[in-house]
Amino acid sequence: MPEQSNDYRVVVFGAGGVGKSSLVLRFVKGTFRESYIPTIEDTYRQVISCDKSICTLQITDTTGSHQFPAMQRLSISKGHAFILVYSITSRQSLEELKPIYEQICQIKGDIESIPIMLVGNKNDENQNREVESSEGEAMAKKWKCAFMETSAKTNHNVKELFQELLNLEKRRTVSLQIDGKKSKQQKRKEKLKGKCVVM
Amino acid sequence: APWVLCPALERQGMLCPGSALLRDRVNALGATGEWLGGCSAWPLRGSAPWKGSGVPPQDPRGTGAVLVPGEGAVPHAGTRPLSLLDDIVLTHSLFLPTERFLQQLHHPPARWEEGSGLRRKRAVLAVLLHFLDTYKGLLQEEESAGKVIKELYLLIMKDTSLYHELEDEIIKLHQLVETVELKPPNKQVKPLFRHFRRIDSCLQTRVAFRGSDEIFCRVYMPDHSYVTIRSRLSASVQDILASVTEKLQYSEEQSARGDALILVTMASSGEKAVLQPSEECVFTTLGINSHLFACTRDTFDSLVPLPEEIQVVPGDTEIHRAEPEDVANHLTAFHWELFRCIHEVEFVDYVFHGERGRRETANLELLLQRCSEVQHWVGTELLLCEALGKRAHLLKKLIKIAAICKQNQDMLSFYAIVIGLNNAAISRLRLTWEKLPGKFKNLFRKFENLTDPCRNHKTYREVLAKMKPPLIPFVPLILKDLTFLHEGSKTLLDGLVNVEKLHCIAEKVRAVRKYRSRPLCLELEASPAQLQTKAYVRQLRVIDNQNLLFELSYKLEPGSQ
Ligand SMILES: Nc1nc2c(ncn2[C@@H]2O[C@H](COP(=O)(O)OP(=O)(O)OP(=O)(O)O)[C@@H](O)[C@H]2O)c(=O)[nH]1
Ligand SMILES: [Mg+2]
């Protein structure tokens, strides 16, 4: 029986259609689809290592519509780390992250100790870019969180996104590698501890 | 005017005797009160309950029983003929699908003599109006029946100018057809499942579920990942699996390789069952803490249940804070809502579950689910209470709650609590029961007598008979009675319809109608404390795994018994 308390819970937020599900499914299943099925709430589980033992990474993919505020509050209070996704092709989608970020601050309080990654997805669609990566970076600085651009479609930076997020967790050592060994990249990141924006 | 005169009724060229019989009975709907065919004596289990109409019997399965409105005026309210019409409208589905029942209104028999057009039309209208009035919104779920009604309606409309005498009836028909046709504007998706009940919606007044309603539901994977899908309440297992497959980007090769997904229900105890692809509306029939799993055939054996939702750490729940009156009143108010959501014909349809493509009985099922939830809630709360003194206090409180529910004429909550306290995992807690004040011991003994099933629940039935509406009956007993009626006698024999059986079943439904004939008003404040109690009562978290309940019970009082 999976141990509930041992779970490390990551919650993915962002406006409808920015590619939250695509990122999660690319990471969990390695697949991508062009068609769009709006999400209500899905949760995927993966075994990872945590403080040298095994634990479950629980990734909750939320809805982009604002229909269920109570569900959103519940996932925030249960979540350990957050991924805030916008699409680089939509300035509006970056705007829509603000209330979510504020709600996380409100519910979680000490925001700096909580791993949060701001993600600009769909960076394969450069021709339709509305948000420069420098703008994303600036926003991340303001929010005291990390930043990355990704593409679920081309599988750019997807695994890295999740690994970086886990690296930001300072209260325990969580890693995608089950053998407990740290990747080079991970060690490098640990040296950068304290720096907020990791590119 | 084909809606009356159309001389059909000839299935394979013959008239079915059952139809003739029924027609005769329904002929009596006429104001003349003329009963044909020795009507009043049709004992359920009498010596000669079946009577034909002189036409040689045919294949009994040719349930071409036909309803033909009699020649005559509109039935008088309160007369036996009206109750006969009601009997047949309520129970026709036992021998004739609704759609075909309605078609009979198009097709009176050929052998009727001509020249009584107006009276016949009036009779057709009477049946149609009563039907619409009884079914109401439920008809939105029945496309084919809806079509027949529309056709009939159009024919009647064509004739209105010819029959001014029917004006009143036709105005009423307009109104009823309108309510049936008007779908409620943009239906909201209704959260049905436990995991969504925690959200704000639990405080809203419950409205009836219909098969076409969209609901959210979680489907779990063997590793306890889950996807939330949006589905019609009446969706088939196949439909649900298709949504899951699509969501998970399950490739076609995987399905083709024989790795196709199956849908499984699993209870918290680990008990599991595979659902057949054609099964429909499975959501409301799941056990309290049961979940749907999608997996491949070869992972079926390795499926494990979700961890118990409730933390088995003693913490004070709302029950310890709230006043017994408030808990009882909120129970009654909620159960009244659920009871009100059940459509009359759900009771009839429930009787022959599985015998024929069944209609939604979701609201009835939800009430039954709730009834079992309350039973488990009582045990769960007591068993999560570690300190003996506190537990005995809670026991007293629960008995008090049962007493107030009874005062509220909410026999459903009352019964559920008493049954819950009679659960072996609770009744074995000798130390707890010993600490109960004598007054409460006696009170509970009285409650046990009241719920004693001996002599066919005689005591309870007597108490119920003395109550005036509004009241909430112990619904499972109504279903037991209906099932008994249904299994105790045949509906059709030699093609004849057992009208008396229909009458007995309809009487049960009419009893429900009577219980609900007056609104139940409880004075409930909207203070924050009250809202908290309300939310607690409406989303009980319970352990429904009997083994676990026993385990907790033995831990609390090892030596008891
Ligand atoms: N070009 C491109 N398209 C993408 C990318 N990620 C997602 N999409 C497309 O964007 C659409 C929406 O993707 P989803 O992942 O379903 O979006 P979502 O954020 O989960 O949306 P909601 O569940 O409604 O909140 C789909 O048609 C995807 O194919 C990407 O990196 N690049
Ligand atoms: Mg999505």
Side-chain angles (χ1 to χ4, degrees):
Chain A
M1 200 182 277
E3 188 58 50
Q4 208 73 58
S5 58
N6 203 15
D7 285 357
Y8 191 76
R9 291 186 289 268
V10 171
V11 189
V12 188
F13 287 119
V18 296
K20 298 180 293 298
S21 303
S22 303
L23 285 169
V24 173
L25 281 169
R26 172 63 90 183
F27 175 66
V28 177
K29 306 223 168 242
T31 54
F32 178 80
R33 79 172 155 231
E34 294 287 343
S35 66
Y36 172 37
I37 306 174
T39 307
I40 301 148
E41 187 191 280
D42 301 334
T43 289
Y44 300 90
R45 300 169 70 94
Q46 275 210 334
V47 177
I48 57 164
S49 81
C50 174
D51 292 336
K52 294 200 177 93
S53 71
I54 276 176
C55 87
T56 306
L57 174 65
Q58 201 179 300
I59 305 167
T60 298
D61 177 19
T62 66
T63 175
S65 76
H66 305 291
Q67 273 179 48
F68 320 106
M71 259 159 84
Q72 182 172 315
R73 280 196 298 275
L74 189 69
S75 353
I76 294 176
S77 63
K78 280 166 68 180
H80 296 115
F82 302 92
I83 298 177
L84 306 182
V85 188
Y86 66 91
S87 163
I88 63 149
T89 63
S90 154
R91 179 165 301 281
Q92 170 65 22
S93 71
L94 180 59
E95 293 298 318
E96 282 187 41
L97 282 176
K98 281 180 187 161
I100 299 174
Y101 174 79
E102 276 156 21
Q103 186 146 49
I104 297 176
C105 293
Q106 213 176 35
I107 294 175
K108 289 294 189 193
D110 180 18
I111 199 89
E112 284 185 60
S113 68
I114 292 164
I116 299 178
M117 181 72 79
L118 178 65
V119 174
N121 187 43
K122 304 200 187 181
N123 87 338
D124 56 290
E125 286 207 46
N126 231 326
Q127 70 282 9
N128 298 324
R129 189 186 272 277
E130 280 187 12
V131 184
E132 293 305 323
S133 56
S134 57
E135 294 173 76
E137 232 170 285
M139 186 60 90
K141 199 168 234 159
K142 194 171 143 205
W143 285 352
K144 302 190 173 64
C145 69
F147 172 70
M148 224 180 223
E149 279 195 0
T150 58
S151 165
K153 187 172 180 173
T154 62
N155 197 9
H156 172 70
N157 258 350
V158 177
K159 190 163 180 206
E160 289 79 356
L161 156 65
F162 285 90
Q163 185 57 67
E164 295 292 350
L165 183 76
L166 296 188
N167 291 349
L168 292 172
E169 179 56 75
K170 296 297 176 276
R171 288 159 297 187
R172 37 181 154 164
T173 314
V174 270
S175 163
L176 294 178
Q177 268 81 25
I178 305 181
D179 57 19
K181 273 186 224 152
K182 285 179 186 150
S183 64
K184 255 193 211 157
Q185 197 192 22
Q186 207 177 340
K187 281 184 189 148
R188 190 171 61 85
K189 290 292 129 65
E190 278 185 4
K191 275 190 224 145
L192 291 170
K193 194 158 65 174
K195 252 198 163 188
C196 290
V197 180
V198 236
M199 273 296 290
Chain B
W3 57 277
V4 161
L5 297 176
C6 170
L9 194 169
E10 286 153 342
R11 281 187 84 234
Q12 296 146 358
M14 302 277 280
L15 201 73
C16 176
S19 26
L21 173 75
L22 189 58
R23 186 198 60 212
D24 290 348
R25 305 301 304 274
V26 179
N27 267 334
L29 290 172
T32 48
E34 180 192 350
W35 287 85
L36 304 174
C39 45
S40 53
W42 289 83
L44 198 51
R45 270 171 236 87
S47 46
W50 308 98
K51 203 161 182 182
S53 58
V55 186
Q58 286 185 336
D59 176 13
R61 269 153 306 152
T63 42
V66 166
L67 172 76
V68 176
E71 306 184 27
V74 194
H76 291 308
T79 59
R80 162 90 185 183
L82 185 58
S83 114
L84 180 65
L85 172 58
D86 195 43
D87 290 352
I88 286 161
V89 165
L90 283 172
T91 63
H92 67 269
S93 54
L94 265 84
F95 60 91
L96 198 65
T98 296
E99 178 194 352
R100 288 200 24 225
F101 167 80
L102 287 169
Q103 275 164 358
Q104 303 313 322
L105 295 178
H106 273 294
H107 306 308
R111 53 185 182 147
W112 275 15
E113 67 279 24
E114 300 287 329
S116 48
L118 177 64
R119 277 179 297 155
R120 287 193 219 159
K121 277 175 204 276
R122 183 159 278 164
V124 168
L125 268 171
V127 176
L128 185 59
L129 288 175
H130 193 76
F131 176 84
L132 289 172
D133 203 28
T134 305
Y135 270 64
K136 291 207 183 87
L138 210 58
L139 281 169
Q140 288 163 4
E141 306 299 316
E142 313 231 346
E143 243 175 75
S144 45
K147 234 181 93 199
V148 180
I149 290 176
K150 212 169 263 166
E151 285 163 14
L152 203 53
Y153 177 62
L154 289 177
L155 286 170
I156 294 171
M157 285 308 114
K158 264 192 212 155
D159 278 3
T160 27
S161 53
L162 295 174
Y163 298 98
H164 292 294
E165 298 90 333
L166 298 178
E167 211 168 308
D168 287 351
E169 281 100 326
I170 287 174
I171 287 174
K172 199 165 169 227
L173 182 65
H174 278 307
Q175 290 167 343
L176 282 170
V177 168
E178 216 160 80
T179 58
V180 167
E181 270 187 342
L182 276 183
K183 303 234 174 199
N186 58 40
K187 275 193 176 182
Q188 269 207 328
V189 182
K190 295 176 182 167
L192 175 62
F193 268 359
R194 291 188 62 78
H195 26 255
F196 291 114
R197 278 198 231 154
R198 223 153 297 132
I199 57 181
D200 324 332
S201 65
C202 84
L203 291 175
Q204 286 160 15
T205 305
R206 276 293 192 106
V207 290
F209 281 98
R210 296 282 174 251
S212 63
D213 282 343
E214 287 214 303
I215 56 150
F216 291 140
C217 117
R218 276 185 191 169
V219 180
Y220 289 82
M221 310 301 135
D223 72 347
H224 294 182
S225 293
Y226 64 77
V227 292
T228 310
I229 58 163
R230 199 183 169 130
S231 146
R232 280 169 63 104
L233 187 63
S234 60
S236 69
V237 166
Q238 219 159 1
D239 298 339
I240 299 169
L241 284 174
S243 308
V244 174
T245 307
E246 187 182 23
K247 272 211 83 127
L248 291 179
Q249 305 183 2
Y250 212 72
S251 69
E252 275 170 28
E253 305 141 50
Q254 275 171 303
S255 317
R257 271 207 316 266
D259 284 351
L261 294 174
I262 54 172
L263 198 66
V264 175
T265 59
M266 173 133 63
S268 55
S269 61
E271 216 172 293
K272 54 193 164 185
V274 180
L275 294 169
Q276 294 313 307
S278 60
E279 262 177 82
E280 283 181 355
C281 26
V282 294
F283 302 113
T284 49
T285 56
L286 295 177
I288 306 168
N289 290 346
S290 292
H291 297 273
L292 289 174
F293 277 75
C295 66
T296 55
R297 289 249 167 229
D298 45 317
T299 48
F300 176 75
D301 287 330
S302 58
L303 288 185
V304 289
L306 297 180
E308 214 43 73
E309 185 191 3
I310 204 159
Q311 247 94 61
V312 194
V313 284
D316 267 0
T317 61
E318 177 70 17
I319 185 77
H320 296 278
R321 278 184 294 271
E323 291 297 325
E325 289 77 18
D326 296 339
V327 176
N329 288 340
H330 281 295
L331 279 171
T332 301
F334 187 40
H335 296 163
W336 177 254
E337 278 174 30
L338 295 177
F339 181 47
R340 292 259 328 209
C341 285
I342 305 170
H343 194 284
E344 286 175 4
V345 301
E346 284 188 52
F347 288 94
V348 179
D349 290 333
Y350 190 86
V351 177
F352 58 175
H353 255 190
E355 279 182 34
R356 199 179 280 168
R358 68 183 170 98
R359 230 192 313 252
E360 260 319 300
T361 51
N363 301 293
L364 184 49
E365 277 151 13
L366 287 172
L367 185 81
L368 296 178
Q369 216 174 51
R370 172 65 179 185
C371 192
S372 135
E373 188 175 71
V374 172
Q375 289 169 30
H376 287 102
W377 161 69
V378 171
T380 303
E381 288 290 5
L382 278 169
L383 293 171
L384 290 183
C385 193
E386 270 191 338
L388 177 60
K390 204 170 157 193
R391 194 161 62 243
H393 188 77
L394 180 59
L395 178 59
K396 188 177 117 187
K397 197 176 206 175
L398 288 166
I399 294 172
K400 216 171 185 173
I401 292 171
I404 301 163
C405 288
K406 182 167 155 275
Q407 259 172 34
N408 288 344
Q409 306 206 115
D410 170 8
M411 299 312 279
L412 187 87
S413 312
F414 169 76
Y415 242 98
I417 295 172
V418 175
I419 295 173
L421 292 176
N422 269 322
N423 182 316
I426 301 302
S427 54
R428 67 168 291 284
L429 297 172
R430 194 172 42 83
L431 300 177
T432 315
W433 286 96
E434 269 171 9
K435 270 186 128 20
L436 195 65
K439 191 181 134 202
F440 281 85
K441 276 184 198 150
N442 288 335
L443 190 58
F444 189 67
R445 216 163 294 139
K446 268 194 210 148
F447 290 172
E448 281 182 307
N449 283 336
L450 178 48
T451 54
D452 189 344
C454 80
R455 281 178 298 163
N456 198 12
H457 301 266
K458 184 163 177 289
T459 324
Y460 165 72
R461 288 183 204 273
E462 281 169 5
V463 168
L464 198 69
K466 285 195 202 106
M467 290 181 172
K468 294 210 165 57
L471 68 94
I472 311 176
F474 181 55
V475 173
L477 190 61
I478 299 177
L479 298 177
K480 190 184 147 200
D481 288 349
L482 284 171
T483 308
F484 184 79
L485 280 172
H486 182 50
E487 287 170 0
S489 62
K490 287 192 171 156
T491 308
L492 290 163
L493 191 69
D494 295 334
L496 301 183
V497 178
N498 186 351
V499 185
E500 196 56 34
K501 173 178 175 174
L502 303 189
H503 180 68
C504 291
I505 291 177
E507 281 288 286
K508 294 278 170 205
V509 179
R510 277 191 289 268
V512 170
R513 190 182 290 167
K514 195 186 97 198
Y515 301 151
R516 304 193 287 197
S517 60
R518 302 188 53 204
L520 182 110
C521 306
L522 289 169
E523 271 171 38
L524 299 167
E525 300 166 45
S527 67
Q530 285 286 335
L531 283 182
Q532 202 170 329
T533 307
K534 181 176 179 183
Y536 164 75
V537 162
R538 286 168 168 250
Q539 50 189 359
L540 301 173
R541 293 214 224 169
V542 308
I543 299 172
D544 71 341
N545 178 351
Q546 186 65 30
N547 290 336
L548 185 53
L549 290 175
F550 267 124
E551 222 172 88
L552 292 169
S553 173
Y554 278 102
K555 222 182 268 168
L556 288 176
E557 296 188 20
S560 263
Q561 193 48 239

